[in-house]
Amino acid sequence: MQRALIPAIALSIATLGGAAQAAEPLQIGISAEPYPPFTYTSSEGEWTGFEVELGLAICEAMEAECEIQPTGWSGIIPSLKAGRIDMIMNSMSITEARQKVIDFSDPYYFTPGAYVAADDLELSLPEGLDGLVLGVQSATTNATYARRALRDTGVDIRLYDQAEQVNRDLLSGRLDVILADEIAMNELIERDEAEGFEIKGTAPHHEAYGEGVGIGIRQGDSELKANLNAAIEQVQQDGTCGSLSEEYFGTDICTG
């Protein structure tokens, strides 16, 4: 499959076979900090990745014009609530806490959190974390899980604004272990600079991880929610989501 490369400033999708859903393009918020292989910039500075391409396909299924709007992760929910973006499509898990402030589409994928450390570190989980330094990206379900489930293990939990900061500090030896999305960690350990690191295990099912990953929208935006749910079902049923997942991950992580 030929990957679509998306301009870093905006992605415009021409409507196919019908009128646009709205007069103004829908703004799809993704994190401005790359999160490969879900969202990242190519060597030409253009946005691509599993969720960028899947977002394009969902918009096509809705016959809607959309634009990709990179937004800092820590401010992405406030940007949604303020109307600067219309939806969030960036591996955001559907959790009870988030549902108090925003709404979600149906889930489109689910993966657990995974621990990564040096392959010569013998690590039993979670009791073996005692005395170690663990890094995790803040404002994520993995951070919530770490605070709720790991605080009594004796591990030193350090929070970071960006996922790539966590990765760099692990590879440079400033962290003993990190906890992040399993798919993203599979990508990390394939990097040349990550030779000597491996996934040690995954986090168990926990309320912190919610119901899977969905598209975040403003509360009360019922029309958009219905359209998104129909489009998600379409890309699940016609194989688009599964094909993109196989391309980027080598397995099907889609919920349909």
Side-chain angles (χ1 to χ4, degrees):
M1 178 183 295
Q2 181 66 37
R3 292 185 181 176
L5 293 179
I6 314 304
I9 300 300
L11 164 66
S12 293
I13 305 169
T15 58
L16 300 178
Q21 178 177 307
E24 295 297 325
L26 293 172
Q27 302 296 314
I28 304 177
I30 64 170
S31 175
E33 303 87 21
Y35 188 55
F38 294 94
T39 59
Y40 61 96
T41 54
S42 70
S43 57
E44 291 80 22
E46 300 175 316
W47 284 101
T48 189
F50 170 69
E51 285 180 299
V52 172
E53 290 204 55
L54 185 59
L56 185 154
I58 287 171
C59 283
E60 182 177 322
M62 292 194 299
E63 297 185 339
E65 184 180 356
C66 297
E67 293 179 348
I68 292 291
Q69 189 64 251
T71 305
W73 175 255
S74 61
I76 204 164
I77 288 180
S79 291
L80 175 68
K81 295 180 69 177
R84 290 188 288 273
I85 56 177
D86 298 299
M87 61 185 95
I88 299 170
M89 192 167 180
N90 206 160
S91 296
M92 181 169 280
S93 296
I94 304 168
T95 64
E96 183 178 348
R98 286 173 177 154
Q99 286 177 311
K100 292 178 180 178
V101 293
I102 64 173
D103 202 355
F104 283 92
S105 71
D106 292 338
Y108 56 92
Y109 89 82
F110 178 82
T111 56
Y115 297 92
V116 176
D119 54 15
D120 60 359
L121 175 66
E122 293 187 10
L123 183 60
S124 57
L125 296 167
E127 60 275 5
L129 293 170
D130 185 18
L132 300 182
V133 182
L134 179 143
V136 63
Q137 185 183 11
S138 62
T140 64
T141 52
N142 287 299
T144 301
Y145 172 77
R147 289 194 302 269
R148 294 181 183 177
L150 303 179
R151 59 187 177 186
D152 295 329
T153 64
V155 69
D156 178 4
I157 300 171
R158 299 188 183 176
L159 300 177
Y160 291 75
D161 289 335
Q162 300 180 23
E164 196 57 31
Q165 292 173 331
V166 188
N167 297 340
R168 287 199 300 267
D169 274 10
L170 173 71
L171 300 182
S172 65
R174 288 187 286 271
L175 294 170
D176 298 307
V177 60
I178 65 177
L179 177 63
D181 183 275
E182 183 182 28
I183 294 294
M185 293 301 92
N186 282 327
E187 188 276 339
L188 172 65
I189 62 174
E190 290 299 318
R191 301 182 193 178
D192 291 341
E193 64 268 30
E195 184 178 359
F197 290 84
E198 65 182 9
I199 292 178
K200 296 294 185 178
T202 57
H205 182 76
H206 189 276
E207 62 180 6
Y209 288 107
E211 305 169 14
V213 170
I215 302 174
I217 57 176
R218 284 183 290 278
Q219 290 180 334
D221 203 343
S222 56
E223 182 179 358
L224 178 58
K225 180 175 181 177
N227 290 337
L228 286 171
N229 286 342
I232 289 170
E233 182 178 6
Q234 179 175 323
V235 299
Q236 300 275 18
Q237 295 300 316
D238 68 16
T240 300
C241 188
S243 294
L244 287 171
S245 181
E246 290 286 351
E247 177 187 353
Y248 279 98
F249 312 124
T251 188
D252 188 353
I253 65 171
C254 301
T255 54

